[in-house]
Amino acid sequence: MSKIKLAIVGYGNMGKIHYKAVEKNNFCDDPLVVELDKDKVDGGIQSVNFDEFVESYLDKIDGAIISSPSSVHLNNTLPLIAKNIPLLVEKPLTSSKSDDNELLDSAIKKGIIFKCGLIELYNPIIQELSEIDFENVNFVHIKRHSPKTDITRKLENIILDLTLHDISIIYKIFKPKKVEIMAVDLSKENGVAESAQILLKLDEKFSVFISSSRQDQEKVRMLEIFDEKSVYHCDLKNKFYEVKQGGKIDSVDAKSITESNVLKKVDMLNKPETAEIQLESFVQSIKNNEIDEEHLNIVKNTHELAYKLLDS
């Protein structure tokens, strides 16, 4: 099979990340960039505007990555869905629940390959944890904090930005049939929610506390799963997790006590870039002409819960 030709629609921060990932993928040619603002596009990169793209290039590509602002995702995707072009759409899918439903329904009805940029689903730590059968979970704590972003970046509210990733993690690892919203507290700045504290109950069995913020001093991506016997402490940013159990005293001196309780540590040796893993999954789906039903269900459930949180 010849190399896959992808288009990247939108060349902002995420578009540039996708471009680098495509360049490094052995199964892809250099991507076509679709961007109205030519000043954003580096010299030497092939680029066209969206109207040119729809008119002249849809029959020349094998798939598209949509990384434009979410407010135009629906308009950017519908012409491509009509042509059965596989899509990887950045999160959130759109800027409204109704547009989300229209986009997903259109893609499912057409039977196209469709992925959403819920990138944490491709984190190798999350992939490994999703294969564990957690039967006796007592509590889950998720913390996703970031420093303040540049004022020029027009981000969604925190729920449709950072919290979406953690909702997707819940559905990937625990596969709940019922999620009950117990409490939601949003902190706003200039009318935009910049932090969220959320308490959920899964399948009437255990609670999940999510803390999301764009007001911290450092980047934190942490997941802790507490079951009856162990604690899984996961560093999603650095891609490792430790399984801890009741500790034992290793040594005691005049000033301190040293306690050991790490049962197992799983560390990804090569620290793969999650954007590259996500792209590889998309490319393999195109090559094999495979639709990922599990992924589609997670995308649908994740966005539905996000809007319920905003409405609560």
Side-chain angles (χ1 to χ4, degrees):
M1 181 180 179
S2 58
K3 285 194 172 185
I4 286 173
K5 183 69 173 182
L6 297 177
I8 298 175
V9 180
Y11 199 65
N13 290 324
M14 287 308 304
K16 290 178 171 64
I17 290 172
H18 288 300
Y19 190 95
K20 290 179 181 178
V22 173
E23 273 196 315
K24 293 176 69 173
N25 189 287
N26 293 327
F27 296 105
C28 295
D29 279 327
D30 287 345
L32 170 69
V33 170
V34 182
E35 174 57 60
L36 182 63
D37 186 354
K38 297 295 186 181
D39 291 337
K40 289 184 178 180
V41 184
D42 304 324
I45 292 178
Q46 182 187 9
S47 66
V48 296
N49 65 42
F50 189 75
D51 289 339
E52 293 176 285
F53 173 57
V54 171
E55 183 177 342
S56 304
Y57 288 88
L58 295 190
D59 60 347
K60 299 176 183 178
I61 62 169
D62 301 297
I65 300 171
I66 309 299
S67 52
S68 52
S70 58
S71 59
V72 296
H73 279 184
L74 186 62
N75 290 337
N76 286 166
T77 54
L78 290 181
L80 281 65
I81 291 173
K83 293 291 187 178
N84 299 307
I85 293 174
L87 293 175
L88 169 58
V89 180
E90 261 306 325
K91 59 83 191 168
L93 287 177
T94 70
S95 293
S96 74
K97 183 179 179 180
S98 60
D99 284 354
D100 281 2
N101 291 335
E102 183 177 353
L103 196 164
L104 271 176
D105 289 347
S106 298
I108 292 170
K109 184 177 180 180
K110 265 289 191 175
I112 68 167
I113 293 164
F114 186 91
K115 303 272 189 177
C116 178
L118 294 166
I119 197 167
E120 206 71 271
L121 295 175
Y122 302 93
N123 188 317
I125 296 300
I126 297 302
Q127 291 180 342
E128 181 152 333
L129 290 172
S130 70
E131 297 175 3
I132 298 174
D133 185 12
F134 291 101
E135 291 185 350
N136 299 303
V137 177
N138 291 328
F139 183 69
V140 176
H141 180 207
I142 309 176
K143 183 178 181 181
R144 184 174 300 272
H145 285 201
S146 293
K148 284 190 175 184
T149 56
D150 189 292
I151 194 170
T152 60
R153 291 189 66 189
K154 297 179 180 178
L155 296 176
E156 300 283 347
N157 64 72
I158 193 73
I159 301 292
L160 294 180
D161 182 22
L162 296 186
T163 312
L164 267 183
H165 292 299
D166 297 321
I167 299 172
S168 72
I169 286 173
I170 292 169
Y171 281 107
K172 178 72 173 179
I173 296 176
F174 303 109
K175 306 168 183 63
K177 292 181 173 59
K178 179 182 179 182
V179 178
E180 185 178 358
I181 299 172
M182 307 299 291
V184 179
D185 181 44
L186 300 179
S187 175
K188 296 184 178 181
E189 186 174 311
N190 298 322
V192 178
E194 293 289 348
S195 68
Q197 314 299 316
I198 298 165
L199 184 63
L200 306 172
K201 190 104 176 212
L202 271 56
D203 292 327
E204 300 182 347
K205 293 180 179 179
F206 61 92
S207 298
V208 177
F209 180 70
I210 300 175
S211 176
S212 309
S213 177
R214 295 192 296 237
Q215 297 175 315
D216 207 332
Q217 304 306 312
E218 62 177 336
K219 183 177 180 179
V220 179
R221 304 288 186 264
M222 182 271 291
L223 165 66
E224 289 182 310
I225 303 170
F226 301 80
D227 68 17
E228 289 185 351
K229 296 181 179 179
S230 308
V231 176
Y232 293 75
H233 177 80
C234 313
D235 185 328
L236 302 179
K237 182 179 72 170
N238 295 305
K239 297 183 176 66
F240 74 85
Y241 73 89
E242 297 175 334
V243 182
K244 301 181 180 182
Q245 292 185 345
K248 62 179 182 179
I249 303 301
D250 275 356
S251 64
V252 180
D253 59 33
K255 295 182 178 179
S256 64
I257 298 175
T258 302
E259 183 176 354
S260 174
N261 67 348
V262 176
L263 178 66
K264 180 175 74 171
K265 181 175 181 178
V266 178
D267 199 350
M268 300 298 156
L269 293 177
N270 60 353
K271 307 295 182 187
E273 288 293 335
T274 312
E276 294 173 20
I277 301 172
Q278 175 182 244
L279 175 68
E280 183 178 348
S281 173
F282 182 47
V283 169
Q284 289 300 322
S285 292
I286 295 172
K287 290 178 63 180
N288 300 328
N289 193 29
E290 291 179 346
I291 295 174
D292 189 339
E293 298 287 352
E294 179 193 13
H295 180 83
L296 283 172
N297 286 331
I298 291 174
V299 171
K300 184 174 185 294
N301 290 333
T302 295
H303 283 77
E304 284 183 353
L305 181 54
Y307 281 104
K308 286 180 182 178
L309 291 168
L310 287 172
D311 292 340
S312 63

